[in-house]
Amino acid sequence: MSNHFIPESVFLKGAKSFGSPFWLYDRATIEARVREVQVFDVVRFAQKACSNLSILSLMRKLGVVVDAVSAGEIVRALRAGFQGGVGKQTSQIVYTADIFDADALALVKEHNLAVNIGSLDMIQQLADYGIRTELMLRVNPGFGHGHSRKTNTGGVLSKHGVWHEQIKDCVKLAQKNGMWITGLHMHIGSGSDFEHLAQVCDAMFDLSRHIGGHLKTISAGGGLPVSYHENEKNEKIDVQAYYELWNNTRKRIEQSVGHSVSLEVEPGRYLVAESGYLVSEIRAIKKQGDNTFYLVNAGFTDLVRPSFYGSYHKISIIAKDGRSLNETHPAIVGGPLCESGDVFTQEEGGFVVSRELPVAQVGDLLVFHDTGAYGAAMSSNYNSRLLAAETLYSNGSLELIRERQSFEHLLQNERIIEL
Ligand SMILES: *Cc1c(COP(=O)(O)O)cnc(C)c1O
């Protein structure tokens, strides 16, 4: 296991103090991942993976900067202490998207934020709004990669980035409006497929020639993979080798443009996934024919990845009373929602499968591992479920970093009109 060890008593105490389900993030794991990736000049956290203010603040303390993909994420970044502004130093906040909405444009202007452009229209809209800022260009190199059809980030069927043949038009449009494109960005998600990565690096080199002398930053994007399966735990990505490939590309680009170029990486998942646990309680155990079901008080409103992508998360059980859990049997784990897809043990395509799990009792805790990325961040209020509490385990103590939502919160923006 690559995770730092957390005593079972911490989970039990957390459930008592904050109620279940709740999220637990381990600070030491986040710090270890950040240090690993800091071989790159700049580590930019893709906050959409886990955007709690305390997590963002921790990232800032560790020397990490952030990416914001919406107006709300800009507000979060500012609240966590990151500053706007573009200039000689690395921009602490970069807005990356394929469109602007009115809120995002206003915030970019107010805080003078750098923008990573995903469409020609965005350049025009900046100009129309009276903004002159530094631009990065998120490029779709014409091919993609991704761990599921829903996460593919390049090619003709991807909505992301500027099509590679349109770079020249972007450069022209920017210059006409007094802006420079100073960065190139590709978020393709090549994972640990180094052959594919070499192809991405070559594409970056080729594209850099369209930008020329103004280029000061290239970004390798995110997509560093995490092994979610227990039996893949020693197939960890070689971050150093990943860096070397990019560093070589950077050097080739430096030679061609004749000055130094900063190399950024933009991981989301890699920095936080393994730090996180979703802690639920088993509320019912029942048989459907020969199948045993453990029904827990967390649903896909908390952790959607299994239902949405067929993602695998390791599951462990913590006995409520400290009894030993030696005996195992196959069980299916489901949640409380009125939705047949509310099952955590399923494969891509929605096929429900069972998992060999300890024989448990109602009241035991059932813990989903490696849920720090795209866990709490993708939670919803469907079925009028409350967003769960988030906690950070730091220096041996567990601290609340987001209260469980209240029913008051849930309903605060609704009104009953006269009918
Ligand atoms: C989602 C996203 C990332 C992070 O992806 P991970 O797979 O979590 O590393 C990085 N950059 C951009 C622009 C993204 O949208």
Side-chain angles (χ1 to χ4, degrees), residues 46 48-49 67 69 96 138 185 187 221-224 266-269 374:
K48 73 175 193 281
D67 178 47
V69 297
T96 298
R138 175 174 182 174
H185 173 281
H187 171 63
L224 275 81
E266 198 175 70
R269 180 186 318 279
Y374 308 108

